[in-house]
Amino acid sequence: MGRHLRSWVTGRPVTGDVPGPETATVVLEDSACLDAVLGSDAVGPRTLVLAPGAPDGQDDRSGATVVGYEGSLSGSEGDASVGDVLFLQIQDYGVSPYMSLLGTTLVRVAGDTDFEMFLADADAARTEGRFAPFAVSPAVQLADLSALGGHVPEDGPGTRLYVNRDGSVSVSPQGLPLGTAGDSAAALRSAWERLSAASEVGGAVPLGAAVAEELRGTAVRRRPWLARYLVTLDLLRDLQTRGITEPRVSGFGSRLVPGLEEVEGALDADDPRAPFLCWTPEKAYVRVPDPGRTFQLGRRAAAITEMLLVLGSVEAVEEYAGRHTGDAETGPVDRAAVERVLAFFADKGVSLVPGAAPLLEATA
């Protein structure tokens, strides 16, 4: 249940799900639309349907699993619960800095003002390394990541659908309508593709009814690093669960190695799939987004790792270190030291240098 709801909120696929022709997660605002939804090929055996007040069970016609819930999952404030196992608080982005987090909290961008506040927080993180405290809380999940500039290629009707009280269907409560309850999977997919293609940047549909596309599209296009910022929030939430608070993140306001912040065209600047380096006064860490692994490093190994992530080759690191031999973080760096770092990660199935295949398959 938690995996499906997280997928429906973010647009990311359900962890461990096997893609199929039907939607993975469907949320109804009103159970009056349930029969129409279950009669469509948009739902099937891999579908979880959440409907307010509905009895739990498997639908005989479609094979979908139906689960009832209380409250509302559509607004930007309030709460919802599923049985006695899952409780969710919902609030809009603009009020989140002033609200106490009482548990799992879904934060929505509900309008232009919310979106502008999201951008202001992202800009502060990028330029100053200052992250909004609520945004990095492990209790928080931002909604509609693809619309915020996230790299979520699987978002769409195959991953999630929302059915409003009037029967209109989108992927989220703030999304552009794709059709009506009972429409076929093919029709919904066609509408998604048509509306998405009309925008210069991806993510137009999930927030299209709440945020002006002229504002959203322009802002995302001017900030190609937003996808990496959103993954950074995931990283900081994860580190907090391990008791690691307020680490500095390479590329967000500073670098561990002096002078690297001046490098133009840094290879880790925008790519959300590139490893992340972060550090506290005591320790340094490398996070590999896929498959989601974290490594603790010594300070010198962390400095070499950062140079590899920024510069992209052993030769470039040697040349850079040769010009900065007096830096306390790097010290003397030769090819052997760099290759030892590469070998460490390769042994773990991780490649730090773009285009270089890891020596071993990554393990979970």
Side-chain angles (χ1 to χ4, degrees):
M1 179 65 64
R3 290 195 301 270
H4 273 272
L5 194 54
R6 189 178 301 111
S7 170
W8 182 77
V9 166
T10 62
R12 291 170 174 161
V14 179
T15 304
D17 183 43
V18 178
E22 66 270 25
T23 304
T25 310
V26 181
V27 170
L28 279 65
E29 183 68 12
D30 193 323
S31 290
C33 298
L34 184 57
D35 283 344
V37 169
L38 294 176
S40 165
D41 69 349
V43 301
R46 67 183 276 263
T47 306
L48 176 69
V49 179
L50 285 159
D56 298 351
Q58 187 172 35
D59 178 59
D60 293 335
R61 292 175 295 171
S62 63
T65 299
V66 179
V67 175
Y69 73 92
E70 297 180 0
S72 174
L73 290 165
S74 66
S76 57
E77 59 182 33
D79 52 63
S81 63
V82 182
D84 296 324
V85 296
L86 195 152
F87 300 89
L88 182 67
Q89 182 179 355
I90 304 169
Q91 58 197 36
D92 64 49
Y93 195 97
V95 305
S96 292
Y98 315 105
M99 300 289 286
S100 298
L101 298 176
L102 303 177
T104 303
T105 303
L106 161 61
V107 175
R108 291 192 182 282
V109 169
D112 290 357
T113 300
D114 279 351
F115 186 68
E116 289 169 342
M117 292 184 68
F118 162 77
L119 293 175
D121 285 344
D123 288 341
R126 183 69 168 186
T127 59
E128 303 170 26
R130 179 167 50 86
F131 293 85
F134 81 89
V136 298
S137 167
V140 164
Q141 179 60 68
L142 292 181
D144 305 315
L145 297 179
S146 64
L148 302 180
H151 178 72
V152 193
E154 303 89 350
D155 196 5
T159 295
R160 58 175 179 156
L161 287 174
Y162 168 73
V163 184
N164 208 338
R165 290 183 182 276
D166 61 4
S168 62
V169 176
S170 186
V171 293
S172 71
Q174 285 76 34
L176 295 173
L178 302 177
T180 57
D183 283 353
S184 68
L188 296 172
R189 169 59 62 180
S190 177
W192 165 271
E193 292 173 350
R194 174 176 51 82
L195 292 169
S196 298
S199 172
E200 292 184 21
V201 295
V205 176
L207 283 181
V211 178
E213 180 58 20
E214 181 179 6
L215 168 63
R216 191 204 69 87
T218 300
V220 171
R221 186 172 59 253
R222 290 175 176 173
R223 296 170 175 83
W225 45 265
L226 279 174
R228 190 161 176 84
Y229 166 70
L230 291 169
V231 178
T232 302
L233 297 183
D234 290 336
L235 162 63
L236 295 175
R237 295 183 195 117
D238 180 66
L239 291 178
Q240 279 208 44
T241 66
R242 304 170 186 229
I244 304 166
T245 59
E246 299 184 1
R248 302 176 74 177
V249 183
S250 179
F252 287 84
S254 62
R255 296 285 191 182
L256 176 64
V257 177
L260 281 182
E261 66 273 9
E262 305 299 329
V263 173
E264 295 186 6
L267 295 181
D268 67 343
D270 302 334
D271 188 355
R273 296 160 295 187
F276 292 77
L277 176 79
C278 56
W279 70 94
T280 66
E282 297 82 22
K283 298 178 181 178
Y285 306 88
V286 170
R287 173 74 169 188
V288 183
D290 185 12
R293 303 170 66 194
T294 302
F295 303 91
Q296 183 176 321
L297 298 178
R299 201 72 166 191
R300 186 162 181 265
I304 294 173
T305 298
E306 185 180 53
M307 287 189 285
L308 283 165
L309 293 174
V310 171
L311 302 170
S313 73
V314 176
E315 293 75 18
V317 171
E318 282 189 296
E319 191 275 333
Y320 183 87
R323 292 188 286 109
H324 298 78
T325 54
D327 291 342
E329 295 294 350
T330 60
V333 175
D334 56 19
R335 176 175 286 268
V338 179
E339 290 182 345
R340 281 195 296 271
V341 171
L342 286 173
F344 167 82
F345 282 101
D347 187 56
K348 310 299 183 185
V350 174
S351 174
L352 296 181
V353 179
L359 300 180
L360 300 175
E361 291 296 323
T363 56

